[in-house]
Amino acid sequence: MEVINIKGTDDTPSVTMDKDNGVFLIQGRSLPEDVTLFYQPILDWITEYGNQTNDHTDMTFKLEYFNTASSKVLLDVLLKFEEIKNNGSDVTVKWCYREDEEDIKEAGEEYEDIVEVPFEYCECDEDWNIK
């Protein structure tokens, strides 16, 4: 599969979807002007990945901020991974947040209540290193 490697901006997160190296990451701020245009290739990639997954998938989120439009599409991402899990693959969501961003942690907890995928919470320092 082709690797997705999007460099983040002030308004869009960096995204890496790399099946061969087992890296599945969305990091940064998500408030793209056109959320569908930004996330559709990622959703399509995840759908294709679901046809032939790795033995284990850790989908990692390291988000500083996301707007309402992004929150819906992030749920769509999580629902795609729920579907992959329901088809027999081993999937874990790693939801990382900074110590001073309890609202981000709470958002992860709300997603966890919606999707049937195990979540692991990781508190990080300012440079996103897990504590």
Side-chain angles (χ1 to χ4, degrees):
M1 286 183 69
E2 190 172 321
V3 173
I4 290 181
N5 195 359
I6 301 169
K7 185 174 171 36
T9 68
D10 288 342
D11 295 334
T12 60
S14 60
V15 179
T16 303
M17 297 289 168
D18 184 346
K19 178 184 188 299
D20 292 342
N21 292 306
V23 178
F24 307 89
L25 173 67
I26 298 176
Q27 178 175 343
R29 296 170 46 87
S30 183
L31 49 152
E33 190 172 312
D34 186 337
V35 77
T36 303
L37 181 67
F38 182 81
Y39 279 99
Q40 192 59 55
I42 297 160
L43 292 167
D44 293 344
W45 189 95
I46 296 167
T47 299
E48 183 181 340
Y49 173 73
N51 296 326
Q52 189 172 3
T53 65
N54 293 349
D55 290 339
H56 179 77
T57 304
D58 282 328
M59 179 62 225
T60 303
F61 293 88
K62 294 181 176 181
L63 295 167
E64 298 173 37
Y65 174 81
F66 54 92
N67 63 8
T68 304
S70 294
S71 68
K72 167 64 174 101
V73 81
L74 291 172
L75 178 58
D76 292 341
V77 168
L78 289 165
L79 288 169
K80 293 260 184 207
F81 280 103
E82 177 184 58
E83 186 177 320
I84 289 169
K85 180 186 172 290
N86 289 342
N87 288 332
S89 294
D90 185 21
V91 177
T92 302
V93 171
K94 291 193 173 185
W95 191 268
C96 303
Y97 61 96
R98 291 185 174 145
E99 175 179 30
D100 59 340
E101 296 175 342
E102 282 298 312
D103 54 334
I104 296 293
K105 181 182 181 191
E106 290 171 7
E109 292 168 345
E110 290 173 13
Y111 285 130
E112 183 180 19
D113 287 342
I114 297 169
V115 298
E116 297 291 323
V117 178
F119 273 58
E120 293 177 9
Y121 294 91
C122 310
E123 187 175 317
C124 298
D125 63 19
E126 284 299 310
D127 295 322
W128 289 106
N129 298 308
I130 295 173
K131 290 185 171 185

